[in-house]
Amino acid sequence: MAFDIKEYLSLPVLLVIFLLILSLMFVFPVLKMIILGAILAYGIRPIALKIQSKLKYSSVSILLAMVVVLIPLLLLVGYITYELSSLISAMLASSSYMEFNSAVSQLVTYLPVNGDPTSISTYLNNSFESISSFLLNYSATALSKFANITLDLFILVCSIFYFVRDGDKCLNFIKDFIPDESKEFFDNTVESVKDVLRSIFYGHFLTSVIIGIFGCIGYSILGYPFGIFLGVITGILQLIPVFGPWPIYWALFFIDLLGGNYPRAIIVLLFGFFLSTVDMYIRPALSSHYADIHPLILLVGFLSGPLVYGIVGFIVGPLILGVTYVVLDCYRKEYLLGDG
């Protein structure tokens, strides 16, 4: 039977395609915030429903749920920015920076490399100064884009609110365009996407929070300056599969080793091994209840996401790749293997 393209490209279809492309051009600059809003709305919706069971007012319940979730996140970002700038400023302005230089020079003498230790030490110090300058300049640039950041935050808040309130209506609207023979595939895909969201929320973000709390407590008890900040960074690094908490506790180990504080160096190393071991048990226990996603998919999402969407990419990247994987898997089972 000959394929007649005119049957499919009728005037209404062409008009819909044109308007969708035109709309996407307008939406694309804020698309990352809309996607992030939909993701956060999925996590906020259960909280809003619980509050609504007490208040009976939908809009007020959603706003309260958003405050419960978003305010801590915004405070966390502000805290990290403040502590990071304070840490860099303190190291550059105090005698601790000279101690750092001395420690670097001492470390270079033990490295199995050929060359002048002084020149290598100078190179490492210059690299550290360049990185510090880049971080400060990046922070200043971000502040200079305050108008764009404000717009993004406004879009994010509005997206969360309306996705929480009208997410079911949006899903049903999309489902109306699905042919009857594909509705089962659509429903299975939606459930699989929900499993991915649960897996990443509970298996990865919750694990990160637990490891971060352990890190804050442990580093503070061991007497490290900025102990809480180090714990927060440990929790954030825990989100990245390749990294985890090891860059922090190994750095502290070498700093204590060079400073002659051998007992604390051994203790922080053992504490770091404890954090890594806890992760090995907590993450699979939480993730396996929902969706089994290959670690490489999450790794690529975490590393490439920020390159495409900036800091938001740490959340959007792995979620988009995870959702894409389960949609392809559903299609494979439904149409290629005939399991549906």
Side-chain angles (χ1 to χ4, degrees), residues 228-338:
I228 296 178
F229 174 71
L230 292 173
V232 171
I233 298 301
T234 299
I236 293 175
L237 290 177
Q238 185 63 40
L239 288 173
I240 307 176
V242 168
F243 287 89
W246 67 264
I248 299 297
Y249 65 77
W250 274 108
L252 295 175
F253 168 76
F254 283 114
I255 290 174
D256 281 340
L257 200 64
L258 293 174
N261 194 344
Y262 302 116
R264 192 171 71 169
I266 299 300
I267 293 174
V268 75
L269 193 61
L270 294 175
F271 176 68
F273 291 157
F274 164 76
L275 293 179
S276 298
T277 304
V278 168
D279 170 63
M280 292 172 58
Y281 285 97
I282 294 179
R283 189 191 298 266
L286 295 175
S287 299
S288 60
H289 290 290
Y290 303 104
D292 185 17
I293 305 176
H294 196 280
L296 180 60
I297 295 176
L298 297 178
L299 173 61
V300 173
F302 278 116
L303 297 181
S304 62
L307 298 178
V308 179
Y309 286 127
I311 192 171
V312 177
F314 279 113
I315 300 177
V316 175
L319 284 175
I320 289 180
L321 292 186
V323 167
T324 302
Y325 168 77
V326 298
V327 170
L328 291 175
D329 190 49
C330 286
Y331 179 82
R332 178 179 67 91
K333 293 177 180 178
E334 188 80 17
Y335 292 102
L336 302 182
L337 300 181

